[in-house]
Structure formats: structure tokens, C-alpha cells
Amino acid sequence: MGLLQEAIFGVVTGSYIAIAAIGFTLIYGIVNMINFAYGEYLTLGAFVGFFAANALPGPLPVAVVAAMLGGGVISIALARGFFTPINHTGPVPMLLTSIGLGIAVRNAIRLFGGRSARYIDTETATFRFDAVPEVPIGSVDLLGGFFLTSEHLTVVGSAVAVFLVVHLLLTRTDVGIAMRAMGDDESLARVRGIDTQLIRDSVWVLAGVLAGLAGVLMAIQTNVSSTTGYSHILQILSAAILGGAGSPYGAIIGAYVIGLALAISTAFLPSSMTGLSSAVAFAILIAVLLVKPSGIAGTEVREA
Amino acid sequence: MSALDRLPSGRGDRALLAGVACLLVGGLFALTPLQADLPSALYVFVEVGITFVIYGMLVLGLDLQYGHTGLVNFGHVVFFAVGAYATAMLAAQDSFSGIALGYPWPLALLVGVIAAALLGVVVSATSIRLRDDFLAIVTLATAEIFHSIFVNFEGTFGGNVGILGVPRPIAALVGDADTRLIATLLVLGGFTLITLAVVTRLTDAPYGRVLRAIRADELVTRSVGKSTITYKTQAFVYGAALAGFAGGLFALYNGAVAPGFFTIQVTVTVWIGMLLGGAANHRAVLAGLAIIMGLRLVSRFGLSVTPVSGDVFAAFRLLVVGLILVAVIRYRPAGIWGDPQELGVDQ
């Protein structure tokens, strides 16, 4: 397989990581916590989408909308139940709570859903481009024939739509502007009359909707199981930190860097070591924290 | 003056005495034909007890890092794993996967400790300045990277099979299974008690006061002229070396290492044990760990009396463990025996 094909896979992976990473980084910036249970929101969204696709007669977009709604409801419910009551305790207890909650939710899903993978049936059109010349360098082919599926286009299209909507939300609406104000300085925002708890709740809903969408897109691409979201949480986290924690635009760039790095490392690693490609994402994360801990967008994460 | 008056009174000294006594009795079982008779109903207790004393060293090291110094290390298992793998690779003979060099096991154990300490130096040199929650993420990511390295480099680390044929010094001396279990528990438990004595001595000293001052307020500590980065690095490396020692002992007890023994589950277990007992109190963290390991026993017995599959039961146990972590942080942030005032949390 040519490098061009791997790059396409990388862009697709980057797209759904980007959707999730925006939600993750908004929670980080505004609620001021690393939400390690975020992967489970993706899994729950994927399950909602799966059941909606089976139960509802409508086309696939109905299932996607159901997953987004489900994700939003789940996110605000979990936040109200677990995170809002300990909001004052600071980042470390919140991180530890989210780790505990993640374990609990993941195993609750395993308890009720079993370990087997489920598949969402979709009709896929494949577009082949075989006429592209091969440009081999060593064992790796730089161009080569490639293919695109309608699923790939759906994922990338959804991601672009999300970027536009989030951008408009953050720059053109009152609630979005209030979110950015809170991300900058919560006390000042409160002084200016912003209802900080309301904004925090809306961030939870928005992050849940994005998680639901990312989860159902992952489900369409691969499958639904209890570890669908968890297996991506470290990539989402890497993307968010790489982009500069708290910055949605940075997270988008970070997600595509991570997606492409994963895909291209698959091309260069020997086939027996493809499992290492996930380590590549963490190696990037650590390298970023060493060289430029503030990330692409420049938020300081060092003490003093 | 009776003999009792001459016994040391400090908590650390008593732990040292108890540890040495355990080692001596364990050695007696191992070196002489003395035999122990263990009812088969107690096997499971002794086995979980051995795991408990090994994890006990992990929790003591973690408590030095988090409880005393405030370093949020959420990848503690990586130091345990590196210690175990280094010991196993050096000492193993004729493993059919991975590297087996066949050196004497005391040397291998020493190298295991040094390897874990070196990794601790590298991690702290690069990340100790990060904000608490980011240090947690870096250590967690380090653990994940090493896990996938162990799985993927089959030629070196044996892949999912791991490294077999690690010498088992106690099993080599004792043929009888009952005596072997008792001797192992006593020897490893002795090491844990000695560890408890050493860390108690360390944290009762003025050195420990500096560590707790860093946890309470790093800026103030620096302003009175303490090099907080040096202290934090030292505490981190001590904890890492201790975990490496525990890992080496684990490899020499288990006779094999594999990635399955070193999952994030280990980190979560020792963290919950520490928070449940009460961070910054050595005996409390051991008690908290005992509670969590006791839950493991309960679930083992529960599995044999309920008609559900092992997988369902494992999922249910982890569900409960996760909720315990959430509940402890919310309702008893200082743990059961912790001092809320010292930890700076409101009850």
C-alpha cells in the first residue's frame, strides 16, 4: 500500500480524533479538568447510535443525530452527578474522579453489552484510483493507487462541518463568547455577570454532543464495543495537549498531526510491530511536553 | 529492666524488628527441613497475601511521591514492570522467548532496581516541572509506551508470552508446596516491613518535613532556600527504585514475567489503596491496600458461589472499584485514617 493511501487513512483518523479533541479541550479549558472518562462518552455515543440504527426505521443520519443527543444528555448527567459537586477541589481530585468514573462506566458497558463487537450496517461506495504512478523509495511507495470510500468522505465532511459550527458558536454567539471569557479568567467572567455554572453546563452538553458524533463515526468506520472510546482516549489527549490544552483550534491541528503520524508510522514500521504505532502518539505527546509544553496555541502548563 | 523495655519504641524501629523477624522465620523455613502445614482452604489467602506484600512496596513508594511530596505519578506500574523485566532478562535461563542471560539472581535484582531508578531519573528530569495533572498524564503515557514496547519487541521482551525460566530462589530451596508458600509470604512480607521502617525513618526525619512542605506550598518552601526540584526528583527516584525492587522480587517469586502482569490495573489498585487508607500515613496506605485486596478475595469467593461467568464477575468487581475511587475522593478526600488538615482538604 502506498504512502498516499496511509495518508488518507491518517486524515480520516485525524478527523474523528479532532471532533473528540475539541470537546475534550473545551472541558479542559473551561471546567479546568483532564477528563479521563471522556473515552467512555464516545463509547456510549457509539452504542446509542448502534441501537438507534437498529431500532429506528430512518436512514443513518437519524442514528447519528440520536447519538449526538444521547452523548449530550449522558455528558450533562454524569457531570451533574460526579464532577459539578467537586468542582472546587482542583484539577487532581477531578482527574482521579474521572479515572474512577471511566473504569466504572467501561465495566458497566461490558457487564450489559458483553465483550463482542457490534457492527453498524452501512452501504459503502468505494472510489478507486489505480492510475496513479508508483514512486517507490526503498520499501515505501510514495504515491501509488489509492481508494476512498463514502465513509471516509462522511467522516471528513462531518469534521469540517463541526469545525465551522464550533468556530461560529465560539465567535458569533453569546454563549460561545462567554465560554471563551471563562476559559481566559473565570473570576473576571463572573464579575462581568456571566452565569459560570450555566456556561459550564453548556460546555458539558457541547462536549457530550461532539463525543457522541465522534463515537458513532468510529462505530461506522470500525465497530462498537466496550473499548471503542477508551482505545482512543490517549490519542485524543495527545491531540489536545499538542494543540495547547484549552484551545479548540490547536486541538484540530494536533489531531491531524497525531492521525498522520499514526498512519505513516504504520507504513514505516515492520508488520510485526504495527502495535507500536499507538506508542508513537504518546512519544509525540512527551516530546511536545519537553520541547514546548505550551503546545501549538501556547497555553502554559508548567508551574512557576 | 525487663526485655520488653529494651524493645525499640519508635514505629519505624518496631517495623524493622518485625521485618527482620519475618525474614529470619522465613529463612528458617527455607533453609532447614522444617515444614509448614497449610490447610488448602487458606491457599487463596496466602496467595493474595503475597500479592499484597509486593503491592505494599509499590504503595509505600507511591505514598512517598504523592502522599508526602505531592507528585501525581499515575504510571507507577512502569517502574514495577521495568524492575521485573530487567531482573527476569538477566537471571532467566532457557526462556523460549525473549532474552535470557542466566546471570546470578542477586545481581539481576540489583540491576532491576537500578534500571527502574534510572527510568525514574529520566522521567523526573524531563517532567517534574509540569503541573500536577500533566505529570499524571506523562507518567501514564510512559507506562503505556513501555507496555506496547514489551508486547511488540518479541525478540527482546518475549511479546505477550513474556520471559519464562526466571529462577525462583525460594522454590529452589523448598520442595514442599505448603512450606514454600509460607516461606515466600514471610520473606517478602519481611522486605515490605523493612521498607516500611526505612520510609518511616526517612519521613520522620527533617528530610520528610521538607517533602511535606513542598506538598503544602512549593513556593514557600523554595522561598526558605530549599531546592524543591532536587527534593522532588529524589522522592520520585526513591519511589521508582522501590517499585523496581518490588518488580524484581515479583519476577523471582513468579518465575516468569509477561505484559499481562503489568497493566494500568496495578496502578489503579495501589492508587485506590493509598487514597482509601489516607495518603501521607504509611500504615494507613497499607491498610487501605489491604481493604482493596480483600475485595479481590471476596470476589474470588463470590465467583465460586454465584452462577455467573468469570468475565461478568471481573467487570462487576472493576465497576465497584471505580465507584469506590469516586466515592473516596468525594466523601473522604483524606481517606479513612488520613489527616485532613495536613493534606489540605476539607472533609
Side-chain angles (χ1 to χ4, degrees):
Chain A
M1 211 157 36
L3 204 59
L4 188 58
Q5 181 70 69
E6 297 287 2
I8 290 171
F9 289 153
V11 169
V12 173
T13 312
S15 294
Y16 53 71
I17 292 178
I19 297 174
I22 292 173
F24 181 90
T25 208
L26 282 175
I27 297 178
Y28 178 79
I30 290 150
V31 188
N32 194 20
M33 71 174 287
I34 292 177
N35 186 359
F36 210 72
Y38 196 67
E40 273 55 54
Y41 296 20
L42 270 73
T43 315
L44 289 169
F47 267 93
V48 171
F50 170 77
F51 288 118
N54 284 359
L56 300 177
L60 198 61
V62 176
V64 173
V65 171
M68 291 168 70
L69 289 177
V73 170
I74 289 163
S75 171
I76 184 73
L78 289 177
R80 280 281 168 160
F82 293 96
F83 298 123
T84 309
I86 58 162
N87 232 327
H88 58 280
T89 55
V92 172
M94 304 252 302
L95 169 66
L96 294 174
T97 299
S98 74
I99 290 173
L101 181 67
I103 295 173
V105 171
R106 189 158 63 252
N107 284 284
I109 298 170
R110 207 172 109 195
L111 209 54
F112 294 110
R115 281 199 135 162
S116 56
R118 296 173 166 83
Y119 296 87
I120 296 180
D121 293 325
T122 49
E123 284 169 24
T124 313
T126 305
F127 313 100
R128 294 198 157 277
F129 302 87
D130 290 330
V132 184
E134 295 191 0
V135 186
I137 290 185
S139 63
V140 178
D141 177 9
L142 279 190
L143 281 174
F146 64 95
F147 66 90
L148 276 174
T149 66
S150 52
E151 287 171 1
H152 292 166
L153 298 176
T154 312
V155 172
V156 177
S158 313
V160 172
V162 164
F163 303 157
L164 278 176
V165 170
V166 169
H167 173 71
L168 291 177
L169 181 82
L170 288 176
T171 51
R172 296 279 189 280
T173 67
D174 283 350
V175 75
I177 292 168
M179 282 178 190
R180 282 162 50 215
M182 258 184 87
D184 277 349
D185 191 321
E186 189 173 330
S187 314
L188 276 185
R190 198 161 45 231
V191 166
R192 295 292 295 174
I194 291 172
D195 180 349
T196 48
Q197 188 52 46
L198 180 74
I199 300 300
R200 229 178 259 134
D201 286 346
S202 25
V203 167
W204 281 113
V205 173
L206 176 59
V209 167
L210 293 174
L213 176 61
V216 80
L217 290 176
M218 275 175 201
I220 292 169
Q221 273 283 300
T222 53
N223 58 47
V224 190
S225 76
S226 60
T227 53
T228 301
Y230 183 66
S231 56
H232 289 91
I233 182 65
L234 285 167
Q235 296 164 12
I236 295 168
L237 209 149
S238 307
I241 294 179
L242 178 58
S247 154
Y249 305 104
I252 296 171
I253 300 170
Y256 283 107
V257 171
I258 296 280
L260 286 170
L262 287 179
I264 290 171
S265 68
T266 315
F268 283 95
L269 284 171
S271 59
S272 65
M273 288 188 191
T274 46
L276 270 186
S277 65
S278 63
V280 172
F282 314 139
I284 295 173
L285 165 67
I286 292 179
V288 169
L289 285 173
L290 295 187
V291 180
K292 192 171 188 308
S294 50
I296 296 167
T299 327
E300 188 54 66
V301 298
R302 278 189 186 174
E303 276 180 314
Chain B
M1 207 161 116
S2 72
L4 261 179
D5 291 333
R6 263 177 286 150
L7 280 179
S9 54
R11 279 175 307 172
D13 294 334
R14 261 195 311 230
L16 183 67
L17 203 68
V20 172
C22 275
L23 275 185
L24 287 177
V25 178
L28 206 64
F29 275 116
L31 297 171
T32 63
L34 190 67
Q35 287 207 348
D37 206 16
L38 193 65
S40 55
L42 291 182
Y43 270 10
V44 60
F45 285 97
V46 178
E47 272 175 13
V48 173
I50 292 172
T51 319
F52 166 70
V53 292
I54 291 174
Y55 283 14
M57 288 178 235
L58 292 182
V59 83
L60 287 172
L62 185 65
D63 188 41
L64 197 63
Q65 296 173 341
Y66 175 76
H68 289 272
T69 323
L71 299 167
V72 188
N73 170 10
F74 219 86
H76 205 46
V77 67
V78 73
F79 305 106
F80 184 51
V82 165
Y85 264 91
T87 306
M89 286 162 67
L90 248 72
Q93 284 153 347
D94 310 322
S95 170
F96 64 80
S97 60
I99 288 177
L101 297 173
Y103 287 114
W105 64 264
L107 175 73
L109 185 59
L110 183 69
V111 174
V113 174
I114 293 172
L118 277 180
L119 181 65
V121 170
V122 171
V123 171
S124 55
T126 53
S127 322
I128 210 95
R129 284 183 175 79
L130 291 172
R131 224 181 74 171
D132 289 346
D133 42 354
F134 284 88
L135 179 63
I137 295 306
V138 169
T139 45
L140 189 101
T142 309
E144 292 293 321
I145 290 174
F146 271 82
H147 192 82
S148 64
I149 287 174
F150 288 143
V151 171
N152 280 282
F153 283 89
E154 280 185 30
T156 315
F157 301 108
N160 276 313
V161 181
I163 293 165
L164 309 168
V166 183
R168 301 167 64 187
I170 294 179
L173 289 169
V174 195
D176 167 49
D178 287 8
T179 318
R180 185 167 64 218
L181 273 176
I182 296 283
T184 310
L185 180 62
L186 284 170
V187 170
L188 294 182
F191 280 126
T192 308
L193 283 168
I194 292 173
T195 309
L196 174 62
V198 172
V199 292
T200 307
R201 190 69 190 269
L202 187 68
T203 54
D204 281 352
Y207 184 84
R209 231 169 16 239
V210 179
L211 294 187
R212 285 190 293 281
I214 291 174
R215 187 201 159 109
D217 195 324
E218 188 172 348
L219 201 62
V220 169
T221 317
R222 203 175 325 154
S223 72
V224 295
K226 301 287 179 193
S227 164
T228 54
I229 298 295
T230 314
Y231 279 92
K232 281 162 94 174
T233 306
Q234 285 169 350
F236 196 85
V237 173
Y238 292 155
L242 209 48
F245 182 61
L249 290 180
F250 173 79
L252 294 173
Y253 148 67
N254 198 41
V257 293
F261 294 117
F262 310 106
T263 59
I264 187 172
Q265 217 59 57
V266 179
T267 307
V268 171
T269 306
V270 290
W271 260 96
I272 295 181
M274 177 178 72
L275 294 175
L276 185 62
N281 177 343
H282 300 305
R283 288 188 300 170
V285 298
L286 284 175
L289 185 67
I291 295 175
I292 286 296
M293 304 289 284
L295 197 68
R296 192 174 282 202
L297 266 181
V298 171
S299 70
R300 272 210 206 180
F301 287 120
L303 182 58
S304 55
V305 295
T306 48
V308 293
S309 74
D311 193 45
V312 170
F313 220 96
F316 185 70
R317 187 173 65 87
L318 289 173
L319 172 66
V320 173
V321 165
L323 290 177
I324 290 178
L325 177 57
V326 171
V328 167
I329 293 167
R330 178 139 162 211
Y331 298 109
R332 275 201 86 86
I336 300 176
W337 295 281
D339 180 352
Q341 210 152 24
E342 187 177 322
L343 290 173
V345 290
D346 34 80
Q347 198 68 288

